[in-house]
Amino acid sequence: MDSITITPSKPIYAEITPPGSKSITNRALAIAAVARGESLLVGALDSEDTQVMMDSLRKAGISVVHDPENSEICVQGCGGVFPVSAENMTNLFCANSGTTIRFLTAMCANSHGNFRLDGVERMRQRPLGDLLDGLRQLGVTVESEFQNDCPPVLLRADGIPGGCASIPGNVSSQFLSGLLMAVPGARKETEIRVTGGLVSRPYIDMTIAVMRAFGIIVEEPTENTFRIPAAQVYQGTRYVIEPDASAASYFFASAAVAGGEITVRNLTKNALQGDVGFCECLAKMGCSVEYLPDAIRVSRTPETPLRGIDVDMHFISDTAQTLAVVALFADSPTTIRNVANMRVKETDRIHAVVTELRKFGVRADEFEDGMTIYPLPPEILENTENLKSLQNLEKTIPPVEIATYRDHRMAMSFAVAGLRLPGVTILDPGCTVKTYPNFFADFEKVKSK
């Protein structure tokens, strides 16, 4: 479809289990590929990003058998070195999957041969310089083909010597994650020091947790300094993947915006994914949040107004777009801070969010590392609660078409606005295939329950 128009909803009462985490699935795939023996990934996500990772691994000589019906992937690991030709170029096309190109640039360095990793036009604008510099510090021969620290990447792999590397942590945690996952196979002990602040520390904790599940020792003698003993080999295993916490944020936000109660199953407060912290933002806005043994429940009654908040989303920036849409329905402005890394994602997400929010007639201000969102007028908020005076609203609020910039999170987050505002149309809804192909079908199911 070229577009989809969201129909407003009464308060929602539903349960849902989102598909598996993209972040965990792609980490587990990359690690299982270099493990010794067979791995079975249970609850794995089937999406464009994970398909890109699987396709790249197959081109690197790995057997990957995907059973999407049962959400399982069986990977026959190579024991550390991808079985590729040492003479010929191995070309890996990573589309717009940041995890794929960043993880595999590092993981391929353990092998012996020549690799070229490339992607779509937007990928060629996304930075890789810190990762490439970190690999060079560890003795790897790697460069940006156009000498601009962006893809395509040219890698002449002959194993990772190891040693010491310093890497900035303020652009993307995926650079550090890629290095961490690759260096267990280095010839000597490796120490990686993070300089400056570390974006999204929960994603590093996630990476280390997955590494340890496959048998690797990772030490952190001081904060943000990581020591990995040499010549370790990942061990194949059965690994269960959590539902995607970023995907869950759109359903939690639905309860906040439309009212009612949403329960997300198989996701807990102690999940590997830091994005469960989004629920704490909703709690500060006035929602009720319950952490159950095997689920998280978010609810809001019509009598409970949403409050504007001032929040640092540095560690959970993938849910900042969701919160920005919820902020439309608060009783005061909301400011989201410390998310400069959003500017180098699938699109410049700070600018894109502010641009689309303004289509609702509200004030939205962007600054270097965040944004402030001013809510809809009180009379509109009152009439949209529980769909009061919907016909009058249709006369006073013009239809809004939301551009998505080929960014899956733009499409999913702005769909939430359509739960209370008539005429919200999402352009290019198919872009959700990147991480959640069935999002709009699931979104409608939740509304209808």
Side-chain angles (χ1 to χ4, degrees), residues 270-349:
N270 298 320
L272 292 180
Q273 302 162 82
D275 283 341
V276 294
F278 175 77
C279 294
E280 292 304 304
C281 297
L282 295 182
K284 291 176 182 177
M285 297 185 82
C287 296
S288 173
V289 179
E290 299 175 74
Y291 295 103
L292 308 175
D294 63 347
I296 300 175
R297 180 174 295 142
V298 172
S299 60
R300 185 181 71 82
T301 64
E303 295 77 26
T304 306
L306 286 169
R307 299 186 292 269
I309 60 174
D310 191 314
V311 58
D312 184 330
M313 300 190 76
H314 183 62
F315 289 146
I316 55 171
S317 61
D318 275 352
T319 61
Q321 289 152 291
T322 321
L323 192 74
V325 172
V326 176
L328 283 172
F329 304 94
D331 60 6
S332 57
T334 291
T335 297
I336 297 170
R337 303 185 186 276
N338 207 10
V339 290
N341 61 310
M342 288 177 64
R343 293 195 182 275
V344 293
K345 297 285 189 174
E346 282 78 353
T347 187
D348 179 343
R349 287 177 169 171

Side-chain angles (χ1 to χ4, degrees), residues 194-216:
V194 179
T195 60
L198 177 55
V199 173
S200 303
R201 171 65 202 231
Y203 282 97
I204 301 305
D205 295 333
M206 175 197 298
T207 298
I208 293 172
V210 179
M211 292 171 66
R212 287 173 174 161
F214 284 79
I216 295 301

Side-chain angles (χ1 to χ4, degrees), residues 27 55 59 129 165 254 308 313 359 449:
R27 282 165 172 79
D55 181 62
K59 289 178 180 175
S254 296
M313 300 190 76
K359 292 180 178 178
K449 290 184 180 180

Side-chain angles (χ1 to χ4, degrees), residues 68-121:
E69 185 174 342
N70 292 309
S71 301
E72 292 182 351
I73 305 173
C74 183
V75 182
Q76 298 292 336
C78 63
V81 178
F82 290 132
V84 297
S85 167
E87 292 78 26
N88 299 326
M89 180 72 73
T90 300
N91 289 288
L92 304 180
F93 181 74
C94 303
N96 198 20
S97 174
T99 52
T100 300
I101 200 164
R102 290 161 178 171
F103 296 169
L104 291 189
T105 294
M107 302 293 269
C108 288
N110 280 305
S111 300
H112 305 284
N114 299 306
F115 294 85
R116 183 178 185 271
L117 298 93
D118 197 5
V120 298
E121 181 180 355

